[in-house]
Amino acid sequence: MAKKSKKKAYKKHAAFGGRMVMIGFGSIGQGVLPLIFRHIDIKPEQITIISAEDRGGLKETERYEVKFIKKRLTQENFRQVLDKRIGKGDFLVNLSVEVASTALVEFCQEKGALYIDTCIEPWPGGYTDPTLSVSRRSNYALRETMLALKPKYEGGPTAVIAHGANPGLVSHFVKQALVNLAKDIGMDAGTPTTREGWGRLARDLGVKVIHVAERDTQVSKKPKKVGEFVNTWSIDGFVSEGSQPAEMGWGTHEKLLPYDGAHHDFGCGAAIYLNRPGLITRVRTWTPLEGPFHGFIITHNESISMADYYTLRDGGQVTYRPTVHYAYHPCDQAIMSMHECAGKNLHQQKEQRLIVEEITEGRDELGVLLMGHAKGIYWYGSQLDIDEARELAPYNNATSLQVCAPVLSGIIWAIENPERGIVEADEMDFARNLEICLPYLGPMVGKYGDWTPLEDRGRLFYEDLDTADPWQFTNFRVM
């Protein structure tokens, strides 16, 4: 007689006794729900999902016996919809698009509820409002609006801001990478415990540039159609981000501002923006499996928050800051979709196809690339392929699972640290978050290399390069 297979036992990291409301139920909401039940002591009747669309997720809500409300939250109705569903000790998990994060954070602070999101969202049109300046349409501006709330709610219920794969998980990758690099160089630095300590470590190691370097190679046998946008994660979110200006934290080693670059005239001053969308702005970067490639500077909160976090000052003078930005090559079908969208002047295709179950092969190689130090370059991150992702968790591909794991860890960290007010990933305990995330990230790799953006340049055509310092942004940019 055949033996019955034993159901795997998962570690419960925390218990939660309040109500949990999840806003939005796209690929990340559907992917994270099973992980919440696996690793948090919580009952189905405690969870309510509110989403404008179900997009195939109703079967999952029925399977897990959670309440689903089909409702679009707007500036006019969100308080009324949430008022009786969120109170003191409850948790709002915001995985939506076009619902303003600052409005939800203030609502949760008033109610005494915990909060998490994966990016700072505006109300509809906030990314592409032509009446706003380019600077005011940026992630820098969205972050400054959120940070303006921090003093008001200091010591209030924890609100974890921008904690998905990136932004979020990659901030923890950077800290682990700095610790690894210091150890390998032979620097007896220990693990810093303060923001200034981390900044000094990055400076002393000689880190000039940090890329969030990502290459997605997942493929579907079904070809992309004309008029269709295909991607492995939120299409609305991707196009919204890509329509914003390309942004980056701006390092103290940089000699020249890009011809189309500008500083913001408000806020922390840690970043610049380019007067062009990220969807058509490319840079040279590197990952261990792919090697050199061209990635897109899609604007993200971590480009600004990390540059700000690692800034060192002497009095009012900035003495150290790395250049930080995203360098992203999405799956090949998304590249074709981006090309078509850009050709229509950033008007998104009417049809969308999120590929999860139809993926046949490929991986998402997501990590942080630290450059300029004594060992050249160091990439640290996840090389999760589609087969392992499917073994690890249902309703996920490699890309979504790299987001769902840090959403889970952010929820758990907030439960464990319930009175931290508004916090970004850089301010959280990186080791605790990695402890929760690593089982879902596949092979974790730290790899050194001797690549620079000057490699094999100027061979066939003249290029205006700064050969004295390979780590200048002008050398990375694809013109």
Side-chain angles (χ1 to χ4, degrees):
M1 184 176 177
K3 292 182 179 179
K4 292 182 179 180
S5 60
K6 290 184 179 179
K7 188 176 181 181
K8 184 174 180 179
Y10 295 98
K11 181 177 180 180
K12 296 287 187 182
H13 289 285
F16 185 67
R19 295 173 295 180
M20 182 177 289
V21 175
M22 183 184 295
I23 302 176
F25 202 55
S27 61
I28 305 308
Q30 293 172 40
V32 80
L33 185 62
L35 302 187
I36 289 172
F37 282 116
R38 278 184 187 180
H39 297 290
I40 299 174
D41 187 2
I42 190 171
K43 295 179 173 60
E45 55 266 28
Q46 293 172 247
I47 299 179
T48 300
I49 295 168
I50 302 174
S51 180
E53 300 172 316
D54 60 72
R55 293 198 179 180
L58 283 179
K59 287 184 179 179
E60 187 180 357
T61 63
E62 292 169 0
R63 175 185 173 184
Y64 288 95
E65 299 179 326
V66 298
K67 186 176 182 180
F68 179 86
I69 298 172
K70 189 173 182 179
K71 185 80 174 179
R72 182 179 299 277
L73 295 190
T74 66
Q75 196 167 0
E76 292 74 30
N77 75 5
F78 82 95
R79 284 183 171 271
Q80 179 186 1
V81 174
L82 296 176
D83 187 57
K84 292 183 180 179
R85 295 183 172 92
I86 289 288
K88 186 174 178 60
D90 294 333
F91 207 131
L92 182 60
V93 180
N94 179 18
L95 303 175
S96 67
V97 295
E98 296 190 329
V99 181
S101 300
T102 50
L104 293 179
V105 166
E106 290 208 88
F107 175 82
C108 286
Q109 292 296 316
E110 294 166 12
K111 289 285 191 175
L114 303 173
Y115 173 88
I116 190 172
D117 61 31
T118 58
C119 68
I120 304 173
E121 282 278 330
W123 291 114
Y127 287 128
T128 56
D129 184 350
T131 66
L132 297 175
S133 68
V134 177
S135 174
R136 290 289 173 178
R137 294 200 304 270
S138 67
N139 261 322
Y140 180 97
L142 289 170
R143 177 175 181 261
E144 287 295 330
T145 302
M146 181 65 77
L147 293 185
L149 300 176
K150 282 194 77 164
K152 182 178 179 181
Y153 299 117
E154 185 176 357
T158 299
V160 177
I161 304 304
H163 202 268
N166 56 312
L169 178 62
V170 293
S171 289
H172 309 314
F173 282 178
V174 168
K175 287 184 175 178
Q176 187 63 62
L178 290 170
V179 171
N180 294 351
L181 181 57
K183 180 181 178 182
D184 293 344
I185 286 176
M187 181 186 294
D188 186 15
T191 301
T193 58
T194 66
R195 180 174 182 165
E196 185 178 4
W198 283 107
R200 286 198 301 266
L201 177 58
R203 177 200 63 192
D204 295 347
L205 287 169
V207 175
K208 292 183 177 179
V209 180
I210 301 173
H211 283 182
V212 175
E214 179 179 5
R215 176 61 167 110
D216 183 351
T217 61
Q218 294 169 102
V219 295
S220 162
K221 287 185 177 180
K222 183 179 178 181
K224 173 194 138 26
K225 299 186 298 184
V226 174
E228 178 186 49
F229 202 113
V230 179
N231 198 16
T232 56
W233 61 281
S234 172
I235 293 163
D236 292 328
F238 185 26
V239 174
S240 294
E241 291 174 353
S243 300
Q244 288 180 273
E247 297 183 76
M248 62 215 70
W250 195 239
T252 46
H253 72 287
E254 300 285 3
K255 300 174 185 177
L256 297 172
L257 191 69
Y259 73 94
D260 54 353
H263 291 279
H264 301 273
D265 60 6
F266 61 96
C268 68
I272 66 167
Y273 65 94
L274 305 182
N275 191 30
R276 58 189 288 117
L279 205 65
I280 59 173
T281 308
R282 295 179 296 162
V283 287
R284 294 167 178 85
T285 194
W286 183 93
T287 62
L289 292 174
E290 180 71 17
F293 65 94
H294 289 177
F296 291 83
I297 308 182
I298 304 298
T299 181
H300 267 187
N301 189 78
E302 80 272 7
S303 302
I304 304 133
S305 74
M306 285 199 284
D308 190 12
Y309 186 82
Y310 290 98
T311 295
L312 293 177
R313 291 180 171 84
D314 184 2
Q317 186 70 29
V318 173
T319 58
Y320 169 76
R321 178 186 293 134
T323 292
V324 186
H325 59 80
Y326 196 12
Y328 177 42
H329 191 304
C331 72
D332 291 351
Q333 287 172 305
I335 289 285
M336 292 187 290
S337 303
M338 292 167 67
H339 179 71
E340 184 180 44
C341 181
K344 305 297 183 185
N345 293 316
L346 304 182
H347 289 288
Q348 185 176 328
Q349 294 92 322
K350 291 183 178 179
E351 288 190 46
Q352 300 181 5
R353 178 154 52 93
L354 187 70
I355 55 173
V356 181
E357 296 302 326
E358 67 183 79
I359 294 172
T360 56
E361 60 182 307
R363 65 171 51 84
D364 204 320
E365 191 177 20
L366 168 67
V368 294
L369 184 64
L370 279 57
M371 294 173 274
H373 47 80
K375 292 179 75 68
I377 63 171
Y378 179 61
W379 187 93
Y380 176 78
S382 162
Q383 294 177 337
L384 180 63
D385 69 35
I386 183 61
D387 294 327
E388 185 169 4
R390 285 171 174 156
E391 290 176 6
L392 290 170
Y395 310 112
N396 274 283
N397 59 32
T399 306
S400 65
L401 191 51
Q402 288 169 334
V403 179
C404 290
V407 170
L408 172 71
S409 77
I411 292 171
I412 292 167
W413 189 87
I415 293 170
E416 295 173 338
N417 301 268
E419 298 178 340
R420 296 291 187 92
I422 296 171
V423 292
E424 294 182 292
D426 311 281
E427 301 169 300
M428 297 164 67
D429 180 350
F430 82 99
R432 177 57 172 150
N433 277 275
L434 288 180
E435 176 189 3
I436 298 165
C437 292
L438 289 182
Y440 291 104
L441 299 180
M444 288 298 298
V445 175
K447 181 76 172 179
Y448 292 99
D450 58 5
W451 175 84
T452 81
L454 295 176
E455 184 178 282
D456 209 28
R457 300 284 296 282
R459 183 171 58 87
L460 295 176
F461 300 94
Y462 169 77
E463 294 187 74
D464 186 12
L465 302 172
D466 187 335
T467 56
D469 181 4
W471 313 116
Q472 291 293 306
F473 179 72
T474 187
N475 293 331
F476 286 100
R477 189 169 183 181
V478 178
M479 298 297 292

